[in-house]
Amino acid sequence: MPLYIVGTPLGNLGDFSPRAAETLRGCDFIAAEDTRVTVKLLARFGIHAPLLAYHEHNRAVSGPALLERLAAGETGALVSDAGMPSVSDPGRELVAGCAERGIEVFVVPGPCAISAAAALSGLNTGRFCFEGFLSTATKSRREHLDSLKGERRAMVFYEAPHKLPRTLRDMLEAWGDRRVSISREMTKLHEETLRGTLSGMIAHFGQTPPKGEFTLVIEGASAPPAAVSAEDAKALAEGYRAGGMSVSAAARAAAAETGAPRREIYAKMVKSDGE
């Protein structure tokens, strides 16, 4: 009757725990985000429990079916492609459904990209918040970033390679330049962690196209800065503009870094252009 939430390796199968393997062997079924990925893990460890698909596109149908099987007395497990299920991966609704029906849920902890990247970052991660993936919609994306402008804790994000350059540019525009650690392909053959600033990473990935799955750790906001004159903020914005930013983006980045009003910075830059 119970459901087990089982963490799986980020890449290196040697990170799969003996308890995780034992748990999966004892299940009546295993619900997986992508059966093509999970079947390789099961084959490596000689696990033969029936494999079912449970993912973002079928959860409305497969979720209730899995709950019925659990309620009928079967023991099931939920796994994702890598890391912990239900954390930026399918599973939250299934766990909530179990709670509503009184079905027990247990966790078999395993690798997690969030804590792994935080440990590798070298930043102050005594306190941090996990923000998942940014929306692809411009308005929602900007609102999300703007809401975090004053966040003092380090922030952890996931990002896909084709979206990474835009994400870095948007973060720079919203928050100004900050220290960042970017880890990719953790525990895999091409594992790499880069540490630097948002502007430096933009330049790096402008020369080296990103490949692999990325986890970003960005330092939190500093204590509120001392008042900066609009003229000084404008000078900072002009520097951003010289680096290739638009007038609007440069004004926004300078405002985020100095606390000076964005509209005032923008107006001064436009006025200078017209003189």
Side-chain angles (χ1 to χ4, degrees):
M1 179 173 179
L3 173 70
Y4 289 91
I5 307 299
V6 181
T8 55
L10 301 178
N12 191 321
L13 296 185
D15 294 333
F16 198 51
S17 74
R19 182 188 170 210
E22 181 182 359
T23 297
L24 294 187
R25 289 191 187 100
C27 288
D28 296 304
F29 67 85
I30 299 169
E33 181 183 5
D34 187 334
T35 56
R36 296 167 299 179
V37 173
T38 302
V39 72
K40 298 175 185 177
L41 176 71
L42 302 188
R44 168 71 179 272
F45 290 92
I47 299 168
H48 305 292
L51 196 56
L52 308 173
Y54 176 80
H55 50 71
E56 187 63 29
H57 304 293
N58 78 347
R59 60 185 171 84
V61 174
S62 62
L66 295 177
L67 289 172
E68 288 300 325
R69 294 183 66 162
L70 293 166
E74 292 189 53
T75 296
L78 175 66
V79 300
S80 62
D81 292 352
M84 289 301 299
S86 82
V87 180
S88 278
D89 278 325
R92 180 182 62 82
E93 294 87 353
L94 188 60
V95 173
C98 286
E100 291 173 1
R101 290 174 173 239
I103 297 170
E104 289 188 298
V105 181
F106 299 102
V107 66
V108 181
C112 179
I114 303 167
S115 54
L120 284 167
S121 71
L123 299 174
N124 182 359
T125 53
R127 297 177 64 212
F128 65 85
C129 57
F130 175 58
E131 296 294 328
F133 288 95
L134 287 171
S135 170
T136 56
T138 299
K139 184 174 183 293
S140 298
R141 188 183 185 87
R142 179 166 291 175
E143 289 175 350
H144 188 171
L145 292 173
D146 284 346
S147 74
L148 294 169
K149 187 178 297 184
E151 176 58 66
R152 302 286 294 277
R153 296 170 296 180
M155 296 168 287
V156 182
F157 293 82
Y158 288 156
E159 195 50 280
H162 64 286
K163 297 177 184 176
L164 181 64
R166 177 192 173 191
T167 291
L168 294 172
R169 291 193 300 269
D170 288 349
M171 287 176 170
L172 177 62
E173 180 180 340
W175 305 330
D177 218 1
R178 293 193 187 179
R179 290 190 298 160
V180 59
S181 171
I182 301 180
S183 296
R184 73 178 187 96
E185 300 293 270
M186 285 184 289
T187 79
K188 300 177 185 176
L189 179 62
H190 300 292
E191 177 177 348
E192 180 181 38
T193 294
L194 302 172
R195 304 173 186 86
T197 61
L198 288 170
S199 61
M201 294 300 175
I202 291 171
H204 172 78
F205 288 110
Q207 298 293 323
T208 306
K211 296 180 181 179
E213 297 300 317
F214 290 84
T215 305
L216 289 66
V217 184
I218 301 97
E219 71 176 344
S222 306
V228 175
S229 71
E231 282 298 330
D232 287 342
K234 171 180 170 285
L236 178 62
E238 293 290 5
Y240 285 140
R241 190 180 179 194
M245 288 179 119
S246 67
V247 173
S248 177
R252 182 182 293 273
E257 190 163 338
T258 66
R262 180 188 62 81
R263 290 183 179 178
E264 189 172 351
I265 300 170
Y266 180 84
K268 286 182 176 293
M269 294 177 74
V270 172
K271 183 179 179 181
S272 293
D273 286 348
E275 293 176 349

